[in-house]
Amino acid sequence: KGWEVLSKVFDLAAVALASSPGAAMTEPLRLGVEPDVPPLSFIDDAGTARGIMPEIARTLCQRIAAECVLVPVRFERLMPALREGAVDVVVAAIAATDERRKDALFTPAFARSPARFVMRRGEADGYVSPSKLKGKALAAQSGTTFANFLEDNYPDSTVRAYARLEEALAALAAGAVDGVLADQVALADWLLREPGRSCCELTGPELSDPAWLADGFSIAVRKGEPDLARRLGEAAAAIRADGTFGRLNEAFAPFRLE
């Protein structure tokens, strides 16, 4: 797809910029965003980053009076891109886990959305305990806290990790897996479209155990930039307080982020 090529080009260009003398003083901030998780973050037909997170990213740049460029990067590459200097900031549905804090600074959480299971109709009876799902094939996007949660809590299930959430959901629709664990907002959007609308439904309670699923979404900032992290954190709190965040949420998502 075009955005995949675009992402690679941005990554290569960003690394070159990071190694150029004076680049930090003259180049815009590079904000990593996901390209393929509507309505949170996606690339539209015109090649523009859209969704809740890209709009938040643009708003934050306005609030801190910074010139920015949005760089589409797959989820599993977001933290490596930050660590390697390909992006300066990550604005995504990313949690500030202890492991990730080794490589980045994080703002306080600015949004929360519980994890949910989605299963095929007829199999979704509301019970999603490890004993109930024993022997089932469960899926999540690789590199996420959802995948870690399944690995740690469902030892008697087969856990499969997919590079993209859409691939995990396609496997569910095709009957290759029995359930997918992901962010409720992303799942709700899929259930409004085919094949999700015809095959599947949310099931079980909202899951938000901070031991695995952390405390909401935070902005990740490259190490050594505490002032930037502070300014972005303050701007994120301000757009929550003045209603801007709520308006952006409502423009794209059927569920409200907390």
Side-chain angles (χ1 to χ4, degrees):
K1 293 181 180 179
W3 60 260
E4 291 177 306
V5 175
L6 184 63
S7 179
K8 292 177 181 177
V9 170
F10 269 129
D11 270 355
L12 292 173
V15 170
L17 288 171
S19 60
S20 301
M25 297 298 293
T26 60
E27 298 300 329
L29 285 175
R30 299 154 300 171
L31 277 62
V33 296
E34 293 181 84
D36 55 0
V37 283
L40 290 172
S41 190
F42 60 96
I43 305 300
D44 68 14
D45 292 339
T48 302
R50 300 295 305 277
I52 300 171
M53 295 301 175
E55 295 306 325
I56 287 173
R58 294 184 178 98
T59 302
L60 293 175
C61 288
Q62 293 172 356
R63 295 296 178 94
I64 68 171
E67 182 181 357
C68 299
V69 59
L70 302 191
V71 182
V73 183
R74 282 252 182 98
F75 183 86
E76 69 272 15
R77 283 288 305 157
L78 281 171
M79 291 306 295
L82 187 65
R83 184 173 60 248
E84 295 161 8
V87 299
D88 306 304
V89 176
V90 170
V91 182
I94 195 163
T97 63
D98 290 341
E99 186 66 24
R100 289 171 182 157
R101 287 184 186 277
K102 296 176 183 178
D103 297 322
L105 302 174
F106 283 88
T107 68
F110 67 91
R112 293 171 177 81
S113 179
R116 294 288 300 276
F117 275 100
V118 62
M119 299 180 74
R120 289 186 299 279
R121 288 197 178 93
E123 299 178 16
D125 60 7
Y127 297 98
V128 294
S129 67
S131 60
K132 179 67 176 179
L133 298 183
K134 181 178 180 179
K136 300 288 188 180
L138 306 177
Q141 185 177 6
S142 61
T144 63
T145 53
F146 308 121
N148 295 340
F149 180 82
L150 291 177
E151 290 283 358
D152 291 344
N153 292 278
Y154 290 78
D156 296 319
S157 300
T158 300
V159 177
R160 297 175 183 166
Y162 290 82
R164 299 172 57 221
L165 175 59
E166 287 287 341
E167 293 172 0
L169 293 170
L172 175 64
V177 299
D178 300 300
V180 173
L181 182 67
D183 176 82
Q184 177 174 261
V185 170
L187 293 179
D189 178 78
W190 182 71
L191 291 170
L192 291 175
R193 300 179 278 116
E194 295 297 345
R197 179 166 51 196
S198 297
C199 74
C200 304
E201 62 185 341
L202 294 172
T203 187
E206 297 180 353
L207 304 174
S208 57
D209 190 331
W212 286 275
L213 302 173
D215 188 27
F217 307 148
S218 298
I219 300 163
V221 180
R222 64 176 181 260
K223 286 279 193 177
E225 295 286 352
D227 183 62
L228 177 60
R230 177 188 58 78
R231 291 163 60 207
L232 287 169
E234 291 174 352
I239 67 172
R240 286 298 305 241
D242 67 15
T244 301
F245 178 89
R247 290 190 292 274
L248 294 176
N249 186 162
E250 291 174 0
F252 289 98
F255 281 82
R256 285 189 62 85
L257 295 173
E258 298 175 7

